Amino acid sequence: MTDNQDTRFQQLMIAVRRRLPVVHYLVDCVVWLVALPLTTFSRYDFSIDELELDATTRSWVVAIIGQGIFGLATGLYTRRWRYGSFDEVAALAATVLLTGLLLSVVHFGWFMDGAPRSVPALTAAVALAGTVAVRSIWRLYRQKQTRLELQDAEPLVIVGAGEGAEQIVRALLADPTSQYQPVALLDDDPDRSRLSISGVRVRGPVSQMREVAARYGARDVLLAVPSATSDVVRDVDAIATNAGLRLLTVP
């Protein structure tokens, strides 16, 4: 890619970021546009001759309007939630289900006699699965891109694999400007020996800190247990010091 093309691409991405809610809404509308004929076809055993184009088109209009109205009401398109987060997916589910309910009301009450009565419910289910899938794919893509950008960051071994460690790992992997890249977890709980957080796995107990840090070339260790007592901090610090590592802690 030439410098001119790279500049244009960056300008395009900046423009897209400024209009992210609109982009998200358009993507969700595309999912509805795919879900409606798909579910209608399935009710007619995929026979195109049975498809009522007029009823399907009107269903599209209702779904798109409903998705926009309910999406604004739930904060889905007002940047209230981070894209792909649990809160955002919960708002998405509420939006899609309310849109499906609106579609059912319009279907039964007004002008959708040409479409099967089970289409609204089936369409809402397919649309929900589709919109969640799009967000999941995008989140995985962003995590992959961030990992590539973090290749030059300092490798970091994290002590603990609980809620605190999960928040820290996700925060570090979501920040392409982070100084550290989490590479391994250490935890003495045998029930967490196979645990993985965003692709960062538990590699052993705390006593194996030296070996794990050497494997990944880490020079720093982060104690991600906010509730740790002073005795625990002292013990972990002693292990880190003996291994020639610097111990970091969180409040």
Side-chain angles (χ1 to χ4, degrees), residues 64 123 146 230:
I64 290 173
T123 302
T146 303
S230 58

Side-chain angles (χ1 to χ4, degrees), residues 198-209:
S198 296
V200 182
R201 293 184 56 189
V202 174
R203 297 298 181 178
V206 180
S207 59
Q208 294 182 4
M209 184 186 299

Side-chain angles (χ1 to χ4, degrees), residues 213-233:
R215 184 191 311 174
Y216 294 98
R219 295 178 296 179
D220 297 319
V221 177
L222 174 66
L223 178 58
V225 185
S227 61
T229 63
S230 58
D231 291 337
V232 172
V233 175

Side-chain angles (χ1 to χ4, degrees), residues 50-231:
E50 299 291 338
L51 181 64
E52 291 285 346
L53 182 59
D54 185 52
T56 302
T57 301
R58 285 179 288 178
S59 297
W60 274 339
V61 174
V62 173
I64 290 173
I65 293 175
Q67 183 73 19
I69 293 174
F70 296 125
L72 290 173
T74 60
L76 189 62
Y77 304 126
T78 58
R79 294 179 181 261
R80 187 182 301 176
W81 317 114
R82 183 179 175 185
Y83 191 72
S85 66
F86 177 80
D87 290 330
E88 202 253 4
V89 171
L92 173 66
T95 299
V96 172
L97 293 177
L98 288 171
T99 301
L101 180 61
L102 174 64
L103 200 58
S104 297
V105 171
V106 173
H107 180 99
F108 286 107
W110 294 342
F111 50 80
M112 301 297 182
D113 294 336
R117 294 181 179 273
S118 60
V119 164
L122 291 174
T123 302
V126 173
L128 179 59
T131 50
V132 170
V134 168
R135 281 160 172 76
S136 299
I137 292 172
W138 175 252
R139 187 166 184 173
L140 290 173
Y141 169 76
R142 286 300 305 152
Q143 286 183 352
K144 182 178 179 180
Q145 291 298 111
T146 303
R147 286 178 185 274
L148 292 175
E149 294 171 351
L150 287 175
Q151 284 183 343
D152 295 331
E154 288 287 333
L156 179 69
V157 174
I158 297 178
V159 176
E163 183 178 345
E166 181 176 0
Q167 293 178 359
I168 290 171
V169 169
R170 296 191 188 282
L172 291 176
L173 292 179
D175 182 7
T177 64
S178 173
Q179 178 183 352
Y180 293 102
Q181 177 186 9
V183 293
L185 302 171
L186 298 174
D187 200 293
D188 291 333
D189 188 346
D191 292 335
R192 296 175 177 172
S193 60
R194 298 182 180 275
L195 185 66
S196 177
I197 300 175
S198 296
V200 182
R201 293 184 56 189
V202 174
R203 297 298 181 178
V206 180
S207 59
Q208 294 182 4
M209 184 186 299
R210 181 193 298 271
E211 294 81 359
V212 173
R215 184 191 311 174
Y216 294 98
R219 295 178 296 179
D220 297 319
V221 177
L222 174 66
L223 178 58
V225 185
S227 61
T229 63
S230 58
D231 291 337

